[in-house]
Amino acid sequence: MSFGAAVPTVGIGDLTDENFLLDVREDEEWDAGHAEGALHIPMSEFVARYGELTEAAPQDGRVNVICRSGGRSAQVTMYLVQQGIDAVNVDGGMQAWEAAGRPVVDAKGQPGVVV
């Protein structure tokens, strides 16, 4: 899914374990499988919970936004950029994350799946 040059994007291969990751998928998607250490704020609750992001995000670092395939995270990325936050959309989302062999855990910390 491509959103053009307007949405800053990063590939899975450019991310390291130290990068801050914001997952904007819904609860049932998160529970089935997510990147360990990611901050979870569903897109449907994002504006109301925006303060959680500003508290958790690195002050001088980038926010890497991820969803299932890249559509929702692109929307959140554009919102963050408009707020003056250094944010990028993770190209291909959790589907690309899983396909690249990156670890996915469920709500109990066990091996998970992307739904």
Side-chain angles (χ1 to χ4, degrees):
M1 182 172 284
S2 176
F3 291 91
V7 179
T9 303
V10 65
I12 296 293
D14 295 323
L15 295 174
T16 68
D17 292 340
E18 289 78 38
N19 291 127
F20 183 82
L21 193 62
L22 169 65
D23 190 322
V24 298
R25 294 174 305 144
E26 296 303 314
D27 290 338
E28 60 277 359
E29 294 172 285
W30 169 267
D31 290 346
H34 58 271
E36 192 168 16
L39 173 65
H40 178 229
I41 304 176
M43 184 176 166
S44 62
E45 302 171 15
F46 189 75
V47 174
R49 295 176 57 188
Y50 180 75
E52 292 177 42
L53 172 65
T54 59
E55 288 179 20
Q59 294 299 314
D60 295 324
R62 184 175 71 189
V63 175
N64 300 282
V65 187
I66 199 165
C67 67
R68 183 173 185 265
S69 62
R72 289 172 284 178
S73 54
Q75 293 176 53
V76 172
T77 297
M78 288 310 297
Y79 175 80
L80 293 173
V81 167
Q82 290 168 354
Q83 305 308 308
I85 293 176
D86 180 11
V88 294
N89 185 34
V90 178
D91 190 34
M94 284 300 297
Q95 290 177 324
W97 181 277
E98 186 177 50
R102 303 292 288 266
V104 176
V105 296
D106 67 12
K108 296 178 182 175
Q110 299 301 312
V113 296
V114 175
V115 297

